[in-house]
Amino acid sequence: MKNKIDYSSDWNLDPAPESTGHIKLKTKYNLFIGGKWVKPKSGKYFATINPATEHKIADVAEAGQADVDAAVKAAKTAYDTVWSKLSGKERGKYIYRIARLIQEKAREFSVIESLDSGKVIRESRDIDIPLAAAHFFYYAGWADKLEYAFPNRQPKSLGVAAQITPWNFPMLMIAWKIAPALAAGNTVVLKPAETTSLTALKLAEVIQEAGLPDGVVNIVTGYGKTGAMMVEHKDVDKVAFTGSTGVGKIIMKSIAGTNKKSTMELGGKAANIIFEDAPLDQAVEGIINGIYFNQGHVCCAGSRLFVQESVYDVVLRKLKDRMESLYVGDPMDKNTDIGAINSKKQLDVINDYIKIGKAEGADIYQPKCKIPKKGFWCKPTLFTNVAQSNRIAQEEIFGPVLAIQTFRTVDEVITKANNTPYGLSAGVWTDKGSKVFNLTSQLKAGVVWANTYNKFDPTSPFGGYKESGHGREGGLHGLEPYLKFD
Amino acid sequence: MSRIEVLKTYKIYIGGKFPRTESGRYYQPEANGKVLGNICLSSRKDLRNAVVAARSAQGGWVVKSAYNRSQILYRIAEILEGRRTQFIEELIQQGSKKAQAEKEVNLSIDRLIYFAGWCDKYTQIFSSVNPVASSHFNFSVPEPTGVVAILAPEESGLLGLISQIAPTIAGGNTCVVLASENKPLCSVTLAEVLSTSDVPGGVINILTGNRKELILHFATHMDVNALIYCGDNSTEIKSIHEAAVDNLKRVMIRDGGGYVSDKYESPYLIYSLQETKTTWHPIEKIGAAGSVY
Amino acid sequence: MAEKDYRLSPRVDQVGIQDRVDRITKRSVKSEAKRKGLLMTLNMIDLTTLEGADTDFKVKQMCYKAQHLHDSFPGLPTTAAVCVYPNFVKAAVNEVKGSGVKVASVATAFPSGHSSSEIKLLDTKIAVDNGAHEIDMVISRGKFHSGEYNFVHDEIAAIKEACGKARLKVILETGELGTFDKVRRASDIAMDAGADFIKTSTGKISPAATLPVTLVMLEAIKDYYYETGKMIGMKPAGGISNSKLALQYLLMVKETLGGKWLSNEWFRFGASSLANDVLMQIMKQESGNYQSKDYFSKD
C-alpha cells in the first residue's frame, strides 16, 4: 500500500489505573455451605493469582467429596424445607435483593473480577458486572410468573442444581446460572472455575447479606474433580455447565441413564461474514469486538472471518489500522483494550495454535504493541492465507487469534460457515435487509448477530446448535431448562 | 376353486423409494400363531442410506412454507382415511380387536390433522421479540434440529408411530424411523401412504428390523441431530445416552404407551425437536426521541 | 472515465458508529497527556463570532483574545484562527497581523447557501481579496437532497478555484443531511471537489458537531487518503464547549488518522466558548483548585 497511516504520535495516554483501595478481600476463603463459611473437610487450599502480575491474591478452599456431599445435602434440605415451599413472589424478592446488592457493590465486583481474571476493567465495569446484576433483576421478575411462560404445562422446579461455571466471564456466567435456577424454584450448588473463584465468593457474601435462606445457594471451590463429584452426586437433579465441548461430553457421559436434566453451553468457532455492501468501518469494529473482546476468551468469538473477495484488501487494511489503537496491558488501566490471558495454561494453548497456524502456512500479523514482561500476554493476532482445512480455522483457540478466509458467493459462504461441528453463533454484515434474513435463516447457530457482534442481554436467549451444547440461557427460553412439566 | 391370493412383499422406505434391505435378510414376526410376512431385517447400511436421504431432504423440507407443510400433513391424513380398511385389517392381523383397531386408525388420522394444524402456528407460540436494553431489534425463533432418528414404540404400531412422526416433520425436521419390530405391517403400509401423498422423498424414511441390532448405530450416527427413544428399557436408555454424546445429539426418552391419551397432542412435542435461534440487528436511532445524530 | 456515482458511497451504520464512539469516550486522559491535549486544543481553535450583531469592535476584541488567551499564565499558544463574516475580514487581518493566527471567513451565502452562483463566487473573492487565509463555505443542501451531486461538486470546485491560495473548508451542515450515509456521501463529494478541510456545521443548526458525525467524516478522510495520498483536514464546529469533549475529539483523530493529523494544519475546532473551559482546566491542573468563570475573560 503506497500510503500508510502512521499511528505513532507524540501525544500518548498516561496510565489511568482504577483504584483498588476500597476492595475488601480476605487472604483465605473457605466454602460457603448452608449459609455459613466452613473449612474444607479436605483440609486443602489452592492459590488464586492475578494473571497480569502472577502475584497470589488469596488462598481458596478445595472441596473434596465430603464437602460436596455437605453442599448437596444443604441444598437438598433447603429445597425440601424452605425454598420449594416459598411462593414465587417471595422467591422473586430475594432475587431482586441480590440484583440490587450487586449493583451497589458493582465497582468492588468489577475490580475483583479484573484482578482475578485478567479481564480489562473497562469490560468488567461496563459489561460483566452490570449484565450480571441485570440478569438477576430480569429473572427475579419471572419467579411468580412461570405459568405464563409455559401455557398449559404446569411448570415445577427440579430440585438441586449443580452448576459449573467457566473462567472467561466468571461473575456473568454465575448470574446466568443462579438467577434462572432460583427463579424456577431450585436450590444451587455452584462451583466457579479454579482460576477465577473470587467473585463467586464475593457473591456468597452478598447472598448472606441478602438474607437468602441457608443452603439455597452453596458455593464450593475447586478443580474439575470437585465438579465431577457434583455432577455425579445422586441427589442432584440438574446439571448446568459452561465450558469446553470436551468436558461437556465427559459430563454428558457421566449422567447418561440418569434423570438429571442438563444444560450445556460449550465451545464455538463462529463465522463472522463480511459482504461487500456492508458498512465496512462498523464491520471492522465488529470484527474487533468479535475476536479481541475479553482476550478472545469467548465461546461465541467471531474467530473465523469470511470476507467477500472484492473488499478483502480494504477490510484487511482497515482491520490492521484499527488494531494499531488497541492497548494491550494492565487490566486495571481504564484505557486497556486487551488484558491478560487468564492462565499460563491457556497462554500455552494459544501459543501452540499460533505455532500451528504458522506451520500450516498461514501468514501471521500482529501489531507493534508493547506487552508487559511479567504476567500472561498475547498480542492481538490475525492469520491470513488460511484454508478451511487448517486447524486454526476449525478448532476453538479461545484466545485473540483470528483466521481470515475469503469467499465469492452467498452459497459458498453459507456452506463454509456451517461446515463445523459447532453452532453457537455467527455474524453477518451487509446493508441489504433481504440478505440478512436469508443468512440468519440458513446459518446453523443459536445466535446470529447481524451488523453487530458480541451483544448480550438478559432477555435474549443464548445457546448453541450441534456440539456447541443444548438448552438456552437468557430470556423466557432460559427458564425451561430449570423446570419440569407434567 | 378359490382365487389364489397375491401376497405382499414388505419393503422398507428410503428416500421415497421402496428397496428391500441391502442385506437381503428378513425376519418373520408372528401374531396369533401366524407369520405376518417376510419383513426386511434392515442393516446398518440401510440406516446409513436412510440418513443420507433424510439429510438431503432436510433443506428442501424446511424451506417449504409452513402452509404447504400443513397441507402435506393434511394430505397424509386424507390418503390414510382412504386406506382405513387395510390398516384396520393389519392391526387385527397383528393382534388387535376390531373395535380397538378402528379406534387406533381413527385416532391416527385425527392426530395427523391435529399436527397439520400446528405447522403454521407453533412458531408463533414459541417465538419471541426480546426487549434488549441496547438499540437492537432482537428476536428468537424455533428452527428444526435437523435429522431425527425415531425408535418407534413397540406396542403401538400405527398410532404410536404417527404420534412420533407427525410432530417431528411438522417442525421441519426429516426423520429415519425404526418401526415396531413385532408389529411392522402398518409402518410399511404407511410408507405406501406417504409415497402417494405429497411428502417429498427422504422426509420420512422407515426401516424395519431388529431394535437391539440397530439401536447403537442410530445413537452413534454423527449426522443424526436428535434421537427419540420410545420405551423404558433402562439399559438401552443409558447406552443411547452414552452413545449420543459423540456428536451431542439431543435425546428424547418417551415411554412406550398411552398413545390414545391426548398428552400426545401438544405443540411442546414439536418444540422439543427445535433449536432456538436468536437474531440481533441494530435499530438506527435517527429522528427518534433521544436521537444522537 | 465514468462519472462517480455518489449514491454508492460507503454505508454507515448508526449503532455501530455509536459503539465505536463509546469506546473512545471511555478512554481516560490523565496527567501529562491531559495537559498536552488541552494546550493542543487551544491551538486548534478557530475562535468564532458569526452573529447578526457583530461589529468591528467585537471582532477586534475577539482577535485580541485569540492571541492572548490568558496572559496571567505565560506560555499558552494562540488559537489557530479567528472566524468571521466576510465584511469583518479586513479588520481581523489587521488585528492578527504577525501573530500567526489565521483569519477564516465564512462565505457562499452563509449559513443557508441559498443564493446565485455569481454571488457566492463574489462573496468568496471579496473575502480572499481582503486577506482571508481560509474560506469556510457551505454546500447547497437543497441541491444535495435533490440528488444533484454534480451540481454540489462543481460548485465546490468553482469556489476552490476562487480561493486561490486560501485554504477551503467545506461545511456540510450535517444537521440538515439527516443520515450518516448522507454525511459520508457529502464528505466524498467535498473531498473530490477539492476541499482542504471538511467541516460539520455552521453552528446555526442543531445538532451541530457530534462525535459520531465527526467519526464518519474522519473515516471518509482516511479512505480518501488511502485512495489519493492527499491529506484532508477536519473541523467539527458548534456544540463543543468543554474540555473533556474536546479531548475525546482529539483521541478520535489520533485513533482514526494517527498523529500526523494532530496539528492545527489538519484539525480545527470551530468554537466560541471552548477556549475558556480549556483554560479553566489548565489552571485547575496547575493549581489543583477548581476554577470559577469569573477569572477568565469573556470576549
Side-chain angles (χ1 to χ4, degrees), chain A residues 150-151 153 249 252-253 256-257 266 437 440-441 443 445-452 455-457 459-461 464-467 469-470 472 477 480, chain B residues 58 126-128 130-134 136 138-140 143-144 222 225 237-238 241-242 245-248 250 268 271 275-282:
Chain A
F150 305 97
R153 272 195 117 180
K249 287 181 177 180
M252 288 304 290
K253 280 222 158 91
L266 308 175
F437 285 107
T440 188
S441 55
L443 291 169
V447 182
V448 177
W449 284 290
N451 292 320
T452 186
K455 299 283 177 191
F456 307 94
D457 194 275
T459 68
S460 175
Y465 285 35
K466 302 196 280 186
E467 292 201 23
H470 55 255
R472 292 292 176 268
H477 298 77
E480 201 211 350
Chain B
Q58 216 273 318
F126 299 116
S127 293
S128 59
N130 311 307
V132 296
S134 54
H136 292 90
N138 176 297
F139 60 97
S140 300
E143 283 192 351
M222 294 297 278
N225 301 102
I237 291 173
K238 183 158 195 273
H241 270 143
E242 281 170 351
V245 168
D246 280 342
N247 70 336
L248 289 175
R250 286 77 172 114
Y268 292 105
Y271 182 58
E275 302 285 335
T276 298
K277 175 182 280 175
T278 300
T279 301
W280 296 66
H281 196 282

Side-chain angles (χ1 to χ4, degrees), chain A residues 420-471:
Chain A
T420 165
Y422 294 115
L424 190 52
S425 60
V428 182
W429 296 81
T430 168
D431 203 43
K432 193 168 178 178
S434 57
K435 207 187 289 174
V436 166
F437 285 107
N438 180 26
L439 269 285
T440 188
S441 55
Q442 297 212 51
L443 291 169
K444 297 274 175 247
V447 182
V448 177
W449 284 290
N451 292 320
T452 186
Y453 207 94
N454 267 346
K455 299 283 177 191
F456 307 94
D457 194 275
T459 68
S460 175
F462 184 92
Y465 285 35
K466 302 196 280 186
E467 292 201 23
S468 289
H470 55 255

Side-chain angles (χ1 to χ4, degrees), chain A residues 267-462:
Chain A
K269 190 75 186 177
N272 197 3
I273 303 166
I274 318 290
F275 285 98
E276 62 180 7
D277 61 354
L280 292 184
D281 290 312
Q282 289 75 61
V284 165
E285 194 61 17
I287 298 168
I288 296 281
N289 282 330
I291 187 65
Y292 302 129
F293 173 52
N294 199 35
Q295 296 74 249
H297 301 328
V298 185
C299 47
C300 51
S303 51
R304 288 188 296 153
L305 179 65
F306 290 97
V307 184
Q308 201 157 22
E309 264 186 37
S310 52
V311 290
Y312 174 71
D313 290 339
V314 179
V315 168
L316 194 63
R317 181 195 86 207
K318 284 175 182 285
L319 189 56
K320 287 179 175 175
D321 275 351
R322 178 66 182 86
M323 286 165 81
E324 294 294 328
S325 31
L326 290 175
Y327 299 108
V328 183
D330 182 8
M332 301 311 291
D333 191 304
K334 293 172 202 162
N335 290 320
T336 304
D337 297 299
I338 299 180
I341 299 302
N342 184 262
S343 65
K344 172 81 172 53
K345 194 173 139 199
Q346 186 57 27
L347 181 61
D348 291 344
V349 170
I350 298 168
N351 284 335
D352 278 351
Y353 273 109
I354 290 177
K355 270 193 214 121
I356 289 168
K358 288 179 185 163
E360 284 175 325
D363 299 324
I364 187 171
Y365 175 83
Q366 293 176 321
K368 306 177 279 287
C369 53
K370 280 182 238 143
I371 55 175
K373 286 210 174 64
K374 228 171 154 34
F376 315 131
W377 309 96
C378 180
K379 287 182 180 182
T381 303
L382 60 83
F383 278 105
T384 53
N385 198 12
V386 173
Q388 179 84 350
S389 54
N390 287 162
R391 282 180 66 193
I392 52 167
Q394 291 187 333
E395 296 172 19
E396 186 174 38
I397 299 173
F398 226 63
V401 181
L402 179 65
I404 307 181
Q405 300 179 65
T406 59
F407 69 95
R408 291 148 300 169
T409 65
V410 173
D411 267 356
E412 179 189 4
V413 79
I414 289 173
T415 305
K416 282 183 170 168
N418 285 338
N419 178 210
T420 165
Y422 294 115
L424 190 52
S425 60
V428 182
W429 296 81
T430 168
D431 203 43
K432 193 168 178 178
S434 57
K435 207 187 289 174
V436 166
F437 285 107
N438 180 26
L439 269 285
T440 188
S441 55
Q442 297 212 51
L443 291 169
K444 297 274 175 247
V447 182
V448 177
W449 284 290
N451 292 320
T452 186
Y453 207 94
N454 267 346
K455 299 283 177 191
F456 307 94
D457 194 275
T459 68
S460 175
F462 184 92

